[in-house]
Amino acid sequence: QVRRAPEAVALVHEGGELGYGELNARANRLAHHLIALGVRPDQPVGICVERSAAMVVGLLAILKAGGAYVPLDGAYPGARLQQI
């Protein structure tokens, strides 16, 4: 879809829109950053963010980097989140 219609709306959240091209570009940038930080195939990567465009970008980036996302609940105490 990115190649066929990069300007087409891929994501709508709280009145904002993100096209397939922009969503892909953001996810790619973050995926490269994650790889540089050492994320390897099948490695669990925690993500703790509220539902948003950033969450979708983060999930796609983790998958593009080869990792496996682990959703974390922001309501957990900080110590628990660090432990996980």
Side-chain angles (χ1 to χ4, degrees), residues 42-47 55-56 58-64 66-72:
D42 299 322
Q43 179 179 357
V45 178
I47 183 165
M55 180 191 77
V56 176
L59 295 175
L60 288 173
I62 291 167
L63 296 173
K64 283 175 174 261
Y69 65 85
V70 179
L72 302 173

Side-chain angles (χ1 to χ4, degrees), residues 31-45 62-63 65-68:
H32 288 292
H33 181 69
L34 292 171
I35 291 167
L37 290 174
V39 172
R40 299 290 174 246
D42 299 322
Q43 179 179 357
V45 178
I62 291 167
L63 296 173

Side-chain angles (χ1 to χ4, degrees), residues 4-48:
R4 285 186 286 179
E7 298 302 318
V9 176
L11 176 68
V12 176
H13 183 72
E14 294 184 354
E17 295 181 347
L18 208 56
Y20 283 100
E22 182 62 23
L23 176 60
N24 189 56
R26 289 182 187 187
N28 283 342
R29 280 192 300 271
L30 183 53
H32 288 292
H33 181 69
L34 292 171
I35 291 167
L37 290 174
V39 172
R40 299 290 174 246
D42 299 322
Q43 179 179 357
V45 178
I47 183 165
C48 183

